[in-house]
C-alpha cells in the first residue's frame, strides 16, 4: 500500500475510441507494463458515472465488460500483483465518500465546471441530473480513496483533477492530514510526457473533441470499427481549402489533428511527421497513410480482444475488488472519524 498510486478510469457509456485509447488508456498501460515495481496501478470502470447523462441501461452490463476487455486487449497485464482492475460500484466506499464530500463542495464551483456546462447546455433544468452536477465529487472520491498521486486523463478532465486537489486540501486544512493530494496538473503532464493532456479532435468537426457521446459517430473512430469503416471516416475527414499541409491548429484544425494522430499511431514525434508532410499540396497521402496505420492498430487490437480470457479476467476482477475495498475502506474510516461519524 506504500507505493505511489497511479489511477484512471474510463466511463462505460459506449465503445471506446482512439481518443480514449491514446489519451487515457495507453499512458497508464505503459506504466503498468514498465514501472509497476515503483507504482501501484489502478485502472477501473467508473460505472456509476456512466449514467450521469441518459443511457440505454439494458446495454450497461455489456458495456462495462467491454471496457474491461478493452483494457486487457490494449495490453494491461493481468498477472501483475501491482496492477488492479475494478468496478467503482462494487466498492461502496466511493459512494459513501462522495456523500461526505458533497457537504464540503460549493454549488458555485460545480456550476463552473466546463463539462457540466457543456453537457447541460440547452437542456431544461428538470432534465439536467444532479448526478451530472455532482460528477466531479464522485471523481474526487475515486482518486482520494486510494491516495492516487498521478491520474492520467485527457485534457477535458483536468478541471476535475484540479477540483480533486482543491477538496483534498480543503479537508486537510480543516481536519489534518486526511488525504494524499494528487500532484499538480503541470507535474502530471511532465510525468506522463506527450500523451497527457491530449485532445484528439472529431474527424468531421475538428473544432470539437472526439467523444463517444457524439450522436452520429461520423467523426469518431471506435476501437471496434472495421478497417473499412475507419478508412472511410479518415478519408472523408474535414480539412480546409488552404490546400497546403501545415501544423496550424487555429487555421487548419482538421489537418493538424490528422498530423497529430499520425504521430501517435506511428509512434513518431510531430516534427518527424511534419518533416515528411509539411508544405505538401495534397491532403490525400496523409489521409491514406493515417488510414493504413489506424487499420493496422485496430486489426491487432481486435485480434487481442478476441483472445482475452474471460474467466481469468473475472477472477482477477473479483480478487482486486476485494483488495481495493480494504484499501478504500481505510481511507473512508479515517474521514468518517475526522468528521465525527465514527469514534
Ligand atoms: P468521451 O468524451 O469520449 O465520453 P470520456 O469522457 O469517457 O470520453 O473520457 C475517457 C478518457 O479518455 C478521459 O481520460 C478523457 O480525458 C480521455 N479522452 C476522451 N476523449 C478524448 C480525446 N478526444 N482525446 C484525448 N483524450 C480523450
Ligand atoms: N471522468 C472521467 C472521464 O470522463 C472518468 C473518471 C471517473 C475518472 N473517475 C475518475 C478518471 C477518476 C480518472 C480518475 O473520462
Amino acid at each position: 500500500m506504500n507505493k505511489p498510486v497511479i489511477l484512471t478510469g474510463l466511463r462505460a457509456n459506449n465503445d471506446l475510441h482512439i481518443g480514449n485509447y491514446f489519451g487515457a488508456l495507453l499512458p497508464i498501460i505503459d506504466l503498468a507494463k514498465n514501472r509497476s515495481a515503483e507504482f501501484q496501478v489502478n485502472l477501473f470502470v467508473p460505472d456509476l458515472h456512466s449514467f450521469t447523462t441518459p443511457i440505454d441501461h439494458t446495454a450497461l452490463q455489456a458495456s462495462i465488460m467491454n471496457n474491461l476487455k478493452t483494457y486487457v486487449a490494449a495490453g494491461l497485464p493481468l498477472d501483475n500483483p501491482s496492477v488492479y482492475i475494478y468496478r467503482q460500484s462494487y466498492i461502496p466506499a466511493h459512494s459513501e465518500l462522495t456523500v461526505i464530500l458533497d457537504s464540503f463542495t460549493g454549488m458555485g464551483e460545480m456550476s463552473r465546471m466546463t463539462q457540466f456546462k457543456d453537457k447541460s447546455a440547452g437542456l431544461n433544468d428538470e432534465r439536467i441530473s444532479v448526478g451530472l452536477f455532482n460528477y466531479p465529487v464522485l471523481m474526487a472520491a475515486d482518486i482520494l480513496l486510494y491516495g492516487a498521486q498521478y491520474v492520467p486523463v485527457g485534457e477535458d478532465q483536468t478541471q476535475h483533477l484540479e477540483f480533486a486537489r482543491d477538496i483534498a486540501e480543503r479537508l486537510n486544512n480543516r481536519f489534518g492530514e486526511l488525504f494524499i493530494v494528487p500532484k499538480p496538473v503541470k507535474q502530471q503532464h511532465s510525468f506522463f510526457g506527450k500523451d497527457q493532456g491530449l485532445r484528439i479532435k472529431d474527424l468531421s468537426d475538428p473544432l470539437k473533441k472526439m467523444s463517444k457521446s457524439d450522436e452520429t459517430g461520423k467523426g469518431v473512430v471506435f476501437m471496434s470499427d472495421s478497417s473499412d469503416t475507419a478508412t472511410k471516416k479518415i478519408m472523408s475527414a474535414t480539412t480546409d481549402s488552404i490546400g497546403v499541409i501545415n501544423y496550424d491548429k487555429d487555421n487548419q484544425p482538421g489537418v493538424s489533428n490528422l498530423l497529430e494522430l499520425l504521430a501517435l499511431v506511428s509512434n513518431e514525434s510531430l516534427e518527424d511527421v511534419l518533416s515528411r508532410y509539411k508544405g505538401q499540396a495534397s491532403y490525400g497521402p496523409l489521409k491514406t497513410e493515417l488510414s493504413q496505420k489506424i487499420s493496422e492498430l485496430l486489426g491487432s487490437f481486435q485480434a487481442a480482444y478476441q483472445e482475452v480470457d474471460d474467466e481469468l479476467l473475472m477472477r482477477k476482477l473479483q480478487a482486486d475488488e476485494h483488495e481495493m475495498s480494504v484499501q478504500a475502506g481505510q481511507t473512508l474510516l479515517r474521514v468518517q472519524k475526522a468528521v465525527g461519524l465514527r469514534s
Side-chain angles (χ1 to χ4, degrees):
M1 165 92 189
N2 291 329
K3 284 198 236 176
V5 176
I6 302 179
L7 170 150
T8 199
L10 287 103
R11 274 181 311 149
N13 51 349
N14 202 337
D15 254 353
L16 298 177
H17 53 75
I18 55 174
N20 304 136
Y21 180 81
F22 288 116
L25 207 48
L26 270 200
I28 197 163
I29 287 178
D30 279 349
L31 281 157
K33 280 189 186 154
N34 303 319
R35 305 197 48 191
S36 62
E38 302 151 73
F39 297 100
Q40 170 179 322
V41 177
N42 285 25
L43 182 52
F44 74 104
V45 181
D47 50 358
L48 291 166
H49 275 116
S50 302
F51 46 97
T52 50
T53 48
I55 58 159
D56 171 4
H57 287 263
T58 61
L60 184 56
Q61 259 313 303
S63 219
I64 293 167
M65 291 319 293
N66 175 38
N67 266 34
L68 289 162
K69 287 175 80 159
T70 299
Y71 299 170
V72 182
L76 188 76
L78 286 185
D79 56 357
N80 186 322
S82 297
V83 174
Y84 295 97
I85 51 171
Y86 51 94
R87 294 160 288 186
Q88 181 190 45
S89 75
Y90 279 69
I91 300 170
H94 289 244
S95 308
E96 295 192 26
L97 181 60
T98 301
V99 176
I100 295 175
L101 295 180
D102 275 345
S103 296
F104 299 92
T105 302
M107 295 281 285
E109 60 186 337
M110 289 299 98
S111 314
R112 287 191 292 275
M113 292 285 160
T114 312
Q115 176 179 289
F116 174 71
K117 287 197 278 191
D118 287 351
K119 296 203 170 168
S120 59
L123 292 180
N124 150 332
D125 269 359
E126 295 304 325
R127 292 196 44 215
I128 304 167
S129 74
V130 175
L132 180 65
F133 188 68
N134 207 28
Y135 187 111
V137 185
L138 177 57
M139 179 160 162
D142 296 338
I143 296 169
L144 301 178
L145 278 172
Y146 305 93
Q149 299 192 27
Y150 294 101
V151 184
V153 286
E155 195 252 1
D156 58 312
Q157 296 294 315
T158 49
Q159 211 183 8
H160 296 165
L161 199 50
E162 297 284 6
F163 170 71
R165 284 175 43 77
D166 289 349
I167 187 118
E169 280 171 353
R170 192 174 306 162
L171 269 78
N172 284 355
N173 286 335
R174 174 110 186 243
F175 297 105
E177 292 305 301
L178 280 184
F179 296 121
I180 294 175
V181 181
K183 299 276 187 214
V185 171
K186 259 209 174 130
Q187 271 185 42
Q188 305 227 11
H189 284 201
S190 48
F191 179 78
F192 288 108
K194 67 175 170 28
D195 292 342
Q196 176 71 351
L198 193 74
R199 184 181 280 240
I200 307 282
K201 297 300 191 320
D202 186 277
L203 294 175
S204 55
D205 178 0
L207 295 179
K208 60 179 206 194
K209 79 160 195 139
M210 189 178 282
S211 171
K212 52 183 140 65
S213 318
D214 180 77
E215 317 76 47
T216 68
K218 249 181 30 197
V220 182
V221 177
F222 291 103
M223 295 307 289
S224 57
D225 277 348
S226 69
S227 163
D228 276 1
T229 307
T231 299
K232 266 192 208 116
K233 288 174 181 173
I234 294 166
M235 295 311 289
S236 53
T238 302
T239 48
D240 53 69
S241 53
I242 295 176
V244 179
I245 295 183
N246 271 305
Y247 184 70
D248 176 349
K249 285 180 157 183
D250 292 331
N251 300 309
Q252 298 184 264
V255 172
S256 303
N257 189 41
L258 298 177
L259 290 164
E260 277 183 24
L261 268 172
L262 184 58
L264 283 167
V265 71
S266 55
N267 211 1
E268 285 176 285
S269 67
L270 190 57
E271 290 70 41
D272 286 346
V273 169
L274 279 173
S275 71
R276 283 190 279 130
Y277 282 105
K278 195 172 152 62
Q280 280 202 17
S282 157
Y283 300 152
L286 170 62
K287 287 181 165 178
T288 306
E289 185 185 355
L290 182 60
S291 303
Q292 280 162 357
K293 296 262 165 73
I294 294 271
S295 293
E296 281 164 26
L297 168 75
L298 296 179
S300 54
F301 168 80
Q302 288 161 15
Y305 189 98
Q306 292 307 322
E307 292 296 307
V308 175
D309 181 338
D310 290 351
E311 230 170 86
L312 185 69
L313 174 62
M314 282 316 288
R315 270 209 305 280
K316 165 89 176 147
L317 194 58
Q318 281 160 5
D320 288 358
E321 282 165 354
H322 180 75
E323 193 160 339
M324 289 303 101
S325 294
V326 175
Q327 276 193 17
Q330 289 167 349
T331 308
L332 179 63
L333 183 61
R334 210 161 55 232
V335 177
Q336 288 171 323
K337 284 184 173 165
V339 300
L341 289 169
R342 298 284 186 278
S343 56

